[in-house]
């Protein structure tokens, strides 16, 4: 898949666990795991916005395009 999800990288940089991010987002850890592993078919902009606010980053820090 050419879209790479670097959510693990940002979590590590912010010293935050997935469980904590899931709680702050109001989603289940399972749904966050699906997003982190790149198995999600899409992500809502409001979810992406919330992730960026919580992790104090830009969407490009989380999503990357590779051929």
């Amino acid at each position: 898949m050419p879209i790479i999800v670097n959510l693990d990288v940002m979590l590590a940089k912010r010293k935050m666990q997935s469980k904590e991010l899931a709680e702050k987002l109001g989603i289940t850890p399972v749904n966050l795991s699906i997003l982190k592993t790149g198995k999600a078919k899409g992500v809502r902009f409001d979810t992406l916005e919330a992730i960026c606010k919580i992790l104090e980053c830009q969407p490009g820090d989380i999503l990357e395009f590779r051929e």
Side-chain angles (χ1 to χ4, degrees):
M1 176 182 235
I3 301 294
I4 308 300
V5 180
N6 293 316
L7 193 50
D8 279 338
V9 174
M10 288 309 300
L11 284 168
K13 286 182 179 179
R14 300 300 186 252
K15 296 183 171 89
M16 184 181 291
Q17 294 184 353
S18 296
K19 182 180 176 184
E20 182 182 351
L21 179 60
E23 288 173 2
K24 289 182 177 191
L25 289 172
I27 64 174
T28 66
V30 172
N31 284 339
L32 183 60
S33 177
I34 291 168
L35 178 60
K36 280 178 26 181
T37 58
K39 294 182 181 178
K41 297 289 181 186
V43 60
R44 293 175 50 174
F45 282 139
D46 60 339
T47 302
L48 184 58
E49 179 183 351
I51 290 170
C52 289
K53 282 183 181 178
I54 293 166
L55 296 178
E56 298 177 352
C57 65
Q58 295 294 314
D61 296 329
I62 297 169
L63 302 175
E64 177 183 349
F65 175 76
R66 288 190 201 158
E67 293 201 40

